[in-house]
Amino acid sequence: MDHGVVVGRVALLRRFPLRSAGGDLPASVSLDAAGLAHDRRWQLLDAAGEPVRARDVPELAAWVASVDDDALRVRPAGAAGGAAAPGDGWPVRLAGPGTRLHDARAAGVGAAGAPGPHREGAAVHLVAAGAAEAPDAPAGCDPGERANVVVELDPALAQPGEERTWVGRRLRLQRADAAPGPLLRVTRTPKRCLGVYADVVEPGVVGVGDVVVLLDT
């Protein structure tokens, strides 16, 4: 067991398989050097090969993406029935002729052992629950609603927003049975959103309810 301070527990995990679209809330997920398994793995590209973003096609943000048997599935938020596969032609219907789906892992980006994570800046975005309401929260920041790991801090030990002081520290996401989970190193604070970015030093599985141990005290 690592010797450190238990500062809280994992309250929520978020994964966004398709960039700019909604995602899913896994109860547990593997973490490796690229981040959460399948997170930001796929992206829509237009006919010119440029990324399609929600600011260009607002309807994209209203779609929900998930992964089934290593394949992407999407559906409009709130829609009943099954999700669509790429072969159903939804990329073209959504964003116009020539739109195609790019799989970063198939291209060798963001896979375990590939150079660099699939996220700009770091593999994992972590934020404390309630950070947006903290008195010292930076003005104009995104509230962190697309952060991967949401931590419920122990109020006796740390307050929401205090995770921004952890830059350079390591975090162990430890299983409820005390088995060691992934080891993260907090690398920096984002420019436009709350929380912190972290790299994965040791891979493993993280689950909701896992203990967050702050090391290097």
Side-chain angles (χ1 to χ4, degrees):
M1 181 183 298
D2 292 298
H3 297 289
V5 178
V6 175
V7 292
R9 292 182 178 274
V10 175
L12 188 68
L13 294 169
R14 300 190 186 109
R15 178 175 59 181
F16 302 94
L18 177 64
R19 287 175 182 261
S20 295
D24 57 5
L25 304 173
S28 64
V29 66
S30 296
L31 279 181
D32 62 22
L36 279 69
H38 305 299
D39 187 50
R40 275 82 170 185
R41 174 179 166 182
W42 287 273
Q43 183 166 37
L44 291 178
L45 301 179
D46 63 18
E50 295 297 321
V52 176
R53 299 182 175 89
R55 66 170 178 261
D56 307 311
V57 182
E59 295 83 359
L60 179 57
W63 284 62
V64 176
S66 59
V67 180
D68 178 23
D69 195 22
D70 203 40
L72 178 69
R73 296 290 185 269
V74 298
R75 60 176 175 81
D88 296 328
W90 61 263
V92 171
R93 294 198 302 272
L94 180 65
T99 302
R100 60 186 176 87
L101 193 65
H102 174 70
D103 183 345
R105 195 173 78 177
V109 178
H118 52 200
R119 172 197 299 282
E120 295 85 352
V124 177
H125 183 188
L126 179 146
V127 69
E133 291 77 41
D136 57 350
C141 277
D142 180 279
E145 294 177 351
R146 293 181 71 85
N148 301 119
V149 180
V150 180
V151 176
E152 188 72 44
L153 295 175
D154 181 342
L157 297 172
Q159 299 301 313
E162 195 171 325
E163 71 275 13
R164 295 174 68 87
T165 69
W166 296 348
V167 174
R169 306 277 290 276
R170 295 177 301 153
L171 295 174
R172 175 71 73 180
L173 306 180
Q174 190 166 286
R175 308 306 304 241
D177 61 1
L183 180 66
L184 309 181
R185 182 180 297 280
V186 180
T187 56
R188 67 182 180 90
T189 56
K191 292 181 179 179
R192 293 179 294 277
C193 48
L194 299 177
V196 291
Y197 284 156
D199 289 336
V200 180
V201 179
E202 296 177 8
V205 176
V206 59
V208 172
D210 285 359
V211 171
V212 179
V213 182
L214 180 62
L215 305 175
D216 307 318
T217 56

